[in-house]
Amino acid sequence: MDFDSVFRKYHHRLYLFTLKFIENESDALDIVQNVFLSVWENEKLGVDELKIQSYLFNAIKNSCLNYIKHRKVIRKYEQIAAAELKELEVFQYQSGENSLIEKESLQQLEDAINSLLPIYKEVIILSRYEGLKNKEIAKQLNIPVRTVETRIFRALTLLKEKISPKTFFVLMQLSGTFK
Amino acid sequence: MKEDFNDTENLIVRHFNGECSEVETATLLAWVNESEQNKKEYIALKDLWDSSRKMADYTEIQLAKFYKEQYFRSRKSRMVFIRSAIAVAAVLLLALVINIFVPTTSEKSMDGYQVVTVPLGSRSKVTLADGSEINLNSGSELTYANSFTSQNRSVTLSGEAFFHVKSDAGHPFLVKTKNFDIRVTGTSFNVCAYGEDVLGSTTLAEGKVKLQLNKSNQEFVLKPGEKFMLDGNAQKYSLVNADVEQETAWKNGEFIFKSIRFSDLTKRLERWYDVKLTCSDARLMNYTYTGRFKNQETIWQVLDALRLTSSIDYKRTSFREFNIIYKSNN
């Protein structure tokens, strides 16, 4: 597999994965770019695909962790809880758990969203596709913010059930081994 | 309890959509850390939330950007390469003018080390980051870490060198050789420690040096004008008063020798002129040699001088190779 193919195959997924932990989109793009640079420089393309994939995702996790640590230092006590939640997440993925993004389940997820009841599908589309805040959704749908929040939570819980129960079982098994 | 759980649900969604206050985020963090079950729940929901996000696909833009950056990087390194190529060419040209056959001193960088190699038949001078100056004699190799600074002064030597160490009592300068290490603060001294030679020596010109044998950890302190000699095989040493001028004349392009053995003489000439001298006659070993050459002489002139003044004759056997013959005085 040549460099371009690897780039095209993984770039978007790596970007989405980075965005899990890093809000700033251009910082996230930089992190992905740097990971590809390390691939380019070290010519890691000789190894088999599975190894490339795990190398890429691991490199992203490490970069994100460094980024969060750095931000924690420069921003001192501001939003320390949010940073800690993100750190906790990266650690969780570092200890072997896979994200749906890593598992290439994005299409499956989209199908699941499309099969949701309209009231749930609607809030997901508005928040996740159109990027609206809960308050904005409430205004648009003319319902209380609390209802929007409850519906989104409900939608996510339904998606969790719809998305391959088998994978989910494995995921639970894996996470059961963590201390 | 039910109400409480609902609060968490809302808190989670609010956090996902970036609408939590700091206090609320802290509450959520506490809830997540409360149990393994909570953590799993949080991670799973967050993953669904993140994965369902529809983001613009920047792949092609980023790929083009990547190649553009690579292009500029390579152009920059190409420019550096061209500039250094010009410098190298200039040095090469100079070297060609000086002597077609004598290779120039090479400086290699490998695995965090700088290696200065002086070929046989030439000499070199190195100035280190701390301001210390080192003259290197023919066939020597000086190695020092890239991390060499005025705080961390350590070099490894195989060959002969004259050190003029910048004074700094707080940070000793360390010279490591095959058989002994030398620790100084600020002095001038000569070290002769060729890897292939059994005998190694140090002569102190000024200041003070501390010397430690690698095998026995035995320590010696040298005074100016003293020469320490060590037989690496037998671990026998001697401390004698030496002629500093004689010991260090090489750095000024002179070759001075007083009462040295024939084998030492040929070895020195071999390095100095990058030639090979062979000799099979044991009788030559009984003589000692004293003399003084300036760098201007060629090996032919040196051998001619020896032929005129001692029982030596020579024959050229091949390119830069001579056989030395004992000539009876009749």
Side-chain angles (χ1 to χ4, degrees):
Chain A
M1 210 165 154
D2 65 5
F3 183 80
D4 286 19
S5 318
V6 173
F7 197 101
R8 289 202 168 95
K9 177 156 186 201
Y10 290 104
H11 186 276
H12 191 60
R13 280 168 62 201
L14 291 173
Y15 176 51
L16 285 180
F17 190 70
T18 310
L19 286 175
K20 280 174 86 69
F21 319 112
I22 286 157
E23 273 163 39
N24 187 309
E25 288 172 18
S26 78
D27 286 355
L29 284 174
D30 284 348
I31 284 175
V32 177
Q33 206 73 323
N34 279 330
V35 165
F36 275 115
L37 184 65
S38 75
V39 171
W40 174 270
E41 283 176 344
N42 298 323
E43 288 165 35
K44 288 208 169 63
L45 300 168
V47 298
D48 62 284
E49 251 226 79
L50 219 69
K51 279 187 186 154
I52 295 175
Q53 177 169 342
S54 74
Y55 170 81
L56 288 170
F57 279 97
N58 280 322
I60 294 280
K61 284 171 212 162
N62 291 328
S63 309
C64 289
L65 217 49
N66 288 338
Y67 180 96
I68 296 167
K69 275 184 192 150
H70 180 66
R71 297 289 287 192
K72 243 164 94 176
V73 173
I74 57 170
R75 293 176 70 176
K76 279 272 157 70
Y77 301 105
E78 266 178 77
Q79 313 200 338
I80 206 96
E84 265 169 36
L85 270 169
K86 295 212 155 138
E87 235 176 358
L88 180 139
E89 269 190 87
V90 190
F91 278 130
Q92 196 78 359
Y93 290 112
Q94 274 205 325
S95 45
E97 195 155 336
N98 284 341
S99 158
L100 294 169
I101 300 168
E102 272 179 276
K103 287 185 298 198
E104 295 182 76
S105 308
L106 296 178
Q107 187 54 49
Q108 209 186 338
L109 181 60
E110 205 175 326
D111 295 345
I113 291 169
N114 285 325
S115 71
L116 285 173
L117 277 176
I119 56 158
Y120 297 125
K121 185 178 165 183
E122 172 179 71
V123 286
I124 289 293
I125 302 271
L126 289 173
S127 65
R128 302 319 283 142
Y129 289 20
E130 291 180 24
L132 296 188
K133 294 275 175 198
N134 298 340
K135 265 180 238 157
E136 296 166 325
I137 300 171
K139 215 167 162 192
Q140 193 165 327
L141 298 180
N142 202 18
I143 49 173
V145 179
R146 232 183 139 70
T147 311
V148 174
E149 289 167 2
T150 310
R151 278 189 196 171
I152 291 178
F153 188 88
R154 200 63 202 116
L156 290 174
T157 316
L158 288 168
L159 287 174
K160 198 171 101 176
E161 282 156 17
K162 278 181 194 281
I163 271 256
S164 164
K166 206 168 146 200
T167 354
F168 221 78
F169 176 68
V170 174
L171 202 140
M172 294 291 217
Q173 285 285 82
L174 272 173
S175 48
T177 60
F178 302 134
K179 276 155 229 145
Chain B
M1 275 307 269
K2 190 127 207 297
E3 189 55 39
D4 186 45
F5 183 66
N6 276 330
D7 275 341
T8 309
E9 283 180 4
N10 292 314
L11 205 57
I12 288 174
V13 176
R14 232 175 293 151
H15 168 69
F16 284 172
N17 226 350
E19 288 167 46
C20 264
S21 70
E22 262 181 76
V23 178
E24 284 177 320
T25 312
T27 312
L28 179 64
L29 178 65
W31 178 82
V32 169
N33 279 325
E34 211 169 80
S35 71
E36 202 53 41
Q37 187 58 43
N38 289 0
K39 194 190 275 180
K40 265 184 261 171
E41 176 83 358
Y42 172 79
I43 298 283
L45 291 173
K46 175 71 166 29
D47 194 34
L48 278 160
W49 174 262
D50 291 331
S51 307
S52 59
R53 187 173 186 185
K54 268 277 185 294
M55 283 302 295
D57 190 335
Y58 293 112
T59 305
E60 292 306 317
I61 297 166
Q62 288 295 103
L63 186 60
K65 193 179 162 204
F66 185 89
Y67 278 120
K68 205 170 131 192
E69 275 165 17
Q70 287 314 303
Y71 171 73
F72 282 114
R73 279 161 65 102
S74 69
R75 213 170 66 152
K76 213 184 278 174
S77 65
R78 210 161 35 231
M79 261 149 69
V80 171
F81 173 77
I82 289 166
R83 221 179 297 152
S84 52
I86 291 169
V88 168
V91 170
L92 283 178
L93 203 67
L94 203 68
L96 276 172
V97 171
I98 293 166
N99 192 334
I100 290 171
F101 298 105
V102 177
T104 50
T105 303
S106 76
E107 204 166 337
K108 271 186 305 192
S109 170
M110 46 181 276
D111 290 322
Y113 286 92
Q114 290 290 327
V115 183
V116 182
T117 312
V118 185
L120 295 171
S122 49
R123 292 182 309 280
S124 186
K125 190 173 182 179
V126 176
T127 304
L128 294 174
D130 66 333
S132 294
E133 287 175 355
I134 304 172
N135 290 80
L136 290 164
N137 205 351
S138 312
S140 300
E141 199 175 71
L142 182 80
T143 310
Y144 56 93
N146 285 339
S147 57
F148 183 99
T149 58
S150 43
Q151 274 84 47
N152 169 28
R153 309 197 289 170
S154 171
V155 300
T156 304
L157 174 75
S158 168
E160 181 163 29
F162 182 83
F163 290 84
H164 189 82
V165 173
K166 199 102 194 167
S167 184
D168 181 357
H171 302 98
F173 191 102
L174 185 68
V175 182
K176 292 180 191 164
T177 73
K178 189 175 75 168
N179 288 311
F180 52 83
D181 292 350
I182 302 156
R183 193 180 294 272
V184 302
T185 50
T187 57
S188 300
F189 58 100
N190 193 69
V191 180
C192 187
Y194 281 97
E196 70 273 25
D197 283 9
V198 169
L199 211 64
S201 70
T202 296
T203 309
L204 181 61
E206 53 180 89
K208 199 172 107 175
V209 303
K210 203 188 266 177
L211 196 143
Q212 186 175 44
L213 303 190
N214 293 347
K215 281 220 176 98
S216 59
N217 283 340
Q218 210 172 340
E219 281 193 353
F220 302 90
V221 175
L222 264 67
K223 289 197 278 289
E226 280 185 335
K227 179 183 186 180
F228 177 89
M229 285 184 287
L230 178 79
D231 181 330
N233 285 354
Q235 287 290 306
K236 275 192 199 151
Y237 61 86
S238 60
L239 200 59
V240 296
N241 284 319
D243 184 347
V244 176
E245 194 209 354
Q246 178 196 327
E247 293 289 330
T248 61
W250 63 265
K251 73 184 168 75
N252 304 319
E254 280 190 278
F255 182 21
I256 305 173
F257 50 99
K258 275 182 204 151
S259 311
I260 64 168
R261 286 179 301 178
F262 181 76
S263 57
D264 289 338
L265 175 69
T266 51
K267 207 167 265 173
R268 282 191 164 244
L269 289 174
E270 280 183 334
R271 286 186 189 129
W272 194 264
Y273 288 103
D274 189 18
V275 292
K276 211 163 155 49
L277 302 175
T278 51
C279 169
S280 45
D281 201 322
R283 280 170 293 183
L284 285 172
M285 304 299 169
N286 299 327
Y287 293 83
T288 59
Y289 297 82
T290 300
R292 179 182 194 129
F293 291 110
K294 284 264 168 72
N295 196 29
Q296 284 88 345
E297 281 93 359
T298 65
I299 183 66
W300 299 91
Q301 287 169 315
V302 172
L303 291 174
D304 280 341
L306 286 171
R307 182 161 64 177
L308 286 170
T309 55
S310 63
S311 320
I312 280 176
D313 204 348
Y314 69 89
K315 225 170 52 193
R316 181 177 174 271
T317 50
S318 81
F319 181 70
R320 299 190 90 82
E321 268 190 46
F322 300 86
N323 188 28
I324 303 199
I325 313 151
Y326 180 75
K327 169 185 76 180
S328 52
N329 280 329
N330 50 20

